[in-house]
Amino acid sequence: MRIDVLTLFPEAFAGPLDVSIIKRAREDGLLDLLLHDVRAFATDKHRSVDDYPFGGGQGMVMRVDVLDRALSDVQEHGSGRGLVVYLSPQGEVLNDRLVRELARKDRLVLVCGRYEGVDERFVKHCVDREVSIGDYILTGGELPAMVLIDAVARHIPGALGDEASPEEESFVGGLLEHPQYTRPAEYKGWTVPEVLLSGHHANIEKWKAEQRLERTKARRPDLLNGRED
Ligand code: 4HQ
């Protein structure tokens, strides 16, 4: 999968995507991540990328012409135009279903806004999906883009290595995960549920299923609406 990112701060992406699973996916050629500086597409002598909002109001708005040039240039390289995603609190909220849908694409182009956001004409004419990572306001779309990249990349076949599969994790089946324990079996008198030490495979699986259901009921009842079982 190829992911292009349009941003005023390409340097913000160094770090989180250079470690662990994402690092290996990039090294193995499973994920091709390209960062593009939107300011390179400004044309005036001050290289401005934003301007005052029509109708007044606080802050600045990113210019449609600069963004459109940046996007067109990026789309002229590589194969296909990609699904263009703009990260914003006005978008549909990212969840496991949307992550899996995006992970099936050959190419994504992620647009990161700063200031009060981008000119709405860019959203209307150039953006395919507007996506939010949650109902709170950040200072820019860079962290949301990194969240999306991380979540999507783990679904690229082979990215998690041979053993692990994203099919065996939380939200598969729409439930939260059961609690996990490892050695030592007792620490400061803090014990591990007996059943997990019993070696009785059927009882263990039954306990895990109960825990998943009970946790979901208690913590995220919203996830239970519209499920089959
Ligand atoms: N922002 N989910 C404002 C977000 C955000 C979010 C990105 C801040 C866009 C202009 N993006 N800029 N929450 O708060 O995606």
Side-chain angles (χ1 to χ4, degrees), residues 62 86-90 112-118 131-142 144-145:
M62 286 180 76
Y86 172 54
L87 286 309
S88 115
Q90 275 73 49
C112 304
R114 281 271 155 176
Y115 320 116
E116 300 311 305
V118 308
V131 174
S132 167
I133 65 159
D135 296 336
Y136 40 80
I137 307 300
L138 299 164
T139 57
E142 285 76 14

Side-chain angles (χ1 to χ4, degrees), residues 2 13 58 138 147 203:
R2 169 168 170 159
F13 289 79
Q58 57 152 21
L138 299 164
V147 166
N203 284 355

Side-chain angles (χ1 to χ4, degrees), residues 167-207:
E167 307 312 319
E168 293 184 17
E169 297 187 49
S170 280
F171 297 115
V172 179
L175 295 177
L176 298 182
E177 195 55 277
H178 58 78
Q180 306 270 11
Y181 302 88
T182 188
R183 292 190 290 180
E186 188 179 340
Y187 172 71
K188 287 183 168 180
W190 304 341
T191 57
V192 168
E194 275 290 333
V195 61
L196 297 178
L197 309 174
S198 69
H200 193 303
H201 195 67
N203 284 355
I204 291 171
E205 289 310 308
K206 183 165 166 284
W207 180 87

